Amino acid sequence: MRATLHVRKRCLLTLIIATIATLTLLGPIVFIHFPRTCIPHVNSQYSAYPVSTSNKTPSIVMLSGERCMATNPESKCRLLGDSSYHSRREYIEHHQGRYLLRDNFTSHFESVAAEGYIPAWAKVSILLEELDRGEHDWIFWIDTDALIVNMDIQLERFIDTRYSLMITKDLHFLNAGVFMLKVNEWSRQYFRAIWDRRDTSMNEQDYMITLLEDPAYEGESHVKYLPQCSFNSYWEVKALYEMYRPGDFIIHWAGHNFSPSSFSDWKQGRFIKLPF
């Protein structure tokens, strides 16, 4: 009897190890349907989503970087740039003018490059210009290495009017590649402070994190952290809560979460969904 139980335990252990190994090898091609909520419920009192025809639809502008000009065919910019560029336009067209798109900011990138800063600092300059313009209620920023893959999701669904910044976290705290920003004085002061701290050794995300830890900016009152799958799903990272699943809004190939092979895998396997 003991020998039989021992054999059963070994078989069960072998099966578990084999399953884990299979999931690790297949990565995001295998979509495990664990429960999760990518669009959190917001009380209608604090939501900008038009739950009735009487509610005013908020004015939202989508901002992104310029179209990729790199010549290296294997660079992330080149591999993702055109797809990202066209996905933004497809999204705007799909929503029939509900949102405005601005993504031609060559002068901002040239300016930060001339001062010796990495291109990411152009994002802060672009945001400040839009905040000072004050023509919209909200700004939706999306990096050029993020790709909209579900055209049906409306930006209003993520808005909670009690907060100024809606952003997601990953293993390294917040990710500044995609976020929703309210056009108000807090946002202006926050990004002006980030811009004033710019240097050649750090990126804008580092300062975004640092300032939110400063009590003066009252991060708990102004920042709402959404589930990562709201608009920051990863394709290659194997952590289940980060991993892309069909129906997610945006895939973000941030930092280590990109390789030419991973993008090729996505194009080949994006519609594969196994029933477990």
Side-chain angles (χ1 to χ4, degrees):
M1 185 66 179
R2 288 183 179 179
T4 302
L5 289 174
H6 183 65
V7 170
R8 287 179 178 176
K9 286 180 180 179
R10 290 188 62 181
C11 290
L12 180 59
L13 181 60
T14 301
L15 178 61
I16 292 172
I17 293 173
T19 301
I20 293 172
T22 301
L23 293 177
T24 301
L25 290 172
L26 290 177
I29 293 178
V30 178
F31 302 104
I32 300 176
H33 290 261
F34 58 91
R36 65 176 186 171
T37 301
C38 296
I39 304 178
H41 171 75
V42 180
N43 187 307
S44 59
Q45 180 181 356
Y46 308 113
S47 174
Y49 181 65
V51 293
S52 71
T53 56
S54 63
N55 286 9
K56 176 183 178 293
T57 302
S59 174
I60 303 174
V61 59
M62 178 184 291
L63 302 181
S64 189
E66 62 182 349
R67 192 171 187 177
C68 179
M69 302 302 292
T71 57
N72 179 2
E74 291 299 304
S75 69
K76 179 166 73 169
C77 174
R78 175 53 60 196
L79 289 170
L80 292 179
D82 285 346
S83 296
S84 177
Y85 178 86
H86 291 295
S87 78
R88 295 193 295 272
R89 278 151 183 77
E90 182 182 350
Y91 181 80
I92 295 299
E93 183 176 352
H94 182 74
H95 290 278
Q96 301 180 338
R98 191 182 188 93
Y99 315 113
L100 179 69
L101 171 66
R102 292 194 180 113
D103 60 357
N104 185 15
F105 296 104
T106 302
S107 62
H108 290 265
F109 286 92
E110 290 177 344
S111 178
V112 298
E115 296 179 30
Y117 304 120
I118 62 172
W121 279 105
K123 175 193 303 183
V124 184
S125 176
I126 294 165
L127 287 168
L128 283 172
E129 181 178 85
E130 188 64 42
L131 287 166
D132 288 340
R133 185 181 285 121
E135 295 176 351
H136 296 85
D137 301 316
W138 294 87
I139 296 168
F140 184 74
W141 176 270
I142 176 169
D143 276 359
T144 53
D145 61 356
L147 188 65
I148 300 172
V149 291
N150 184 342
M151 300 294 163
D152 293 329
I153 295 177
Q154 295 178 331
L155 297 177
E156 296 94 315
R157 300 295 298 274
F158 304 107
I159 291 177
D160 186 330
T161 57
R162 293 171 295 180
Y163 300 92
S164 299
L165 174 63
M166 270 142 289
I167 197 164
T168 70
K169 292 183 178 181
D170 60 16
L171 289 174
H172 305 287
F173 198 59
L174 69 79
N175 185 293
V178 187
F179 55 86
M180 182 81 73
L181 183 69
K182 184 186 287 186
V183 178
N184 63 12
E185 190 56 33
W186 182 90
S187 299
R188 294 185 186 97
Q189 291 180 5
Y190 176 59
F191 276 97
R192 280 181 190 137
I194 293 168
W195 180 249
D196 290 342
R197 288 165 170 77
R198 66 190 182 281
D199 61 41
T200 57
S201 62
M202 295 180 69
N203 59 45
E204 90 296 350
Q205 180 170 289
D206 295 327
Y207 286 113
M208 286 180 70
I209 295 170
T210 299
L211 286 182
L212 289 180
E213 294 172 343
D214 184 341
Y217 289 91
E218 300 179 329
E220 293 183 0
S221 301
H222 290 277
V223 182
K224 182 174 184 178
Y225 295 102
L226 301 179
Q228 183 167 346
C229 59
S230 294
F231 41 63
N232 197 28
S233 297
Y234 290 166
W235 177 256
E236 191 162 72
V237 173
K238 306 301 190 296
L240 293 182
Y241 73 93
E242 295 180 337
M243 192 172 68
Y244 166 78
R245 271 174 43 184
D248 286 358
F249 183 27
I250 290 172
I251 301 178
H252 186 195
W253 274 278
H256 63 281
N257 180 46
F258 177 80
S259 66
S261 62
S262 74
F263 187 56
S264 177
D265 288 345
W266 173 75
K267 289 190 293 184
Q268 295 176 23
R270 55 184 163 167
F271 299 117
I272 296 175
K273 183 167 62 174
L274 300 182
F276 56 85

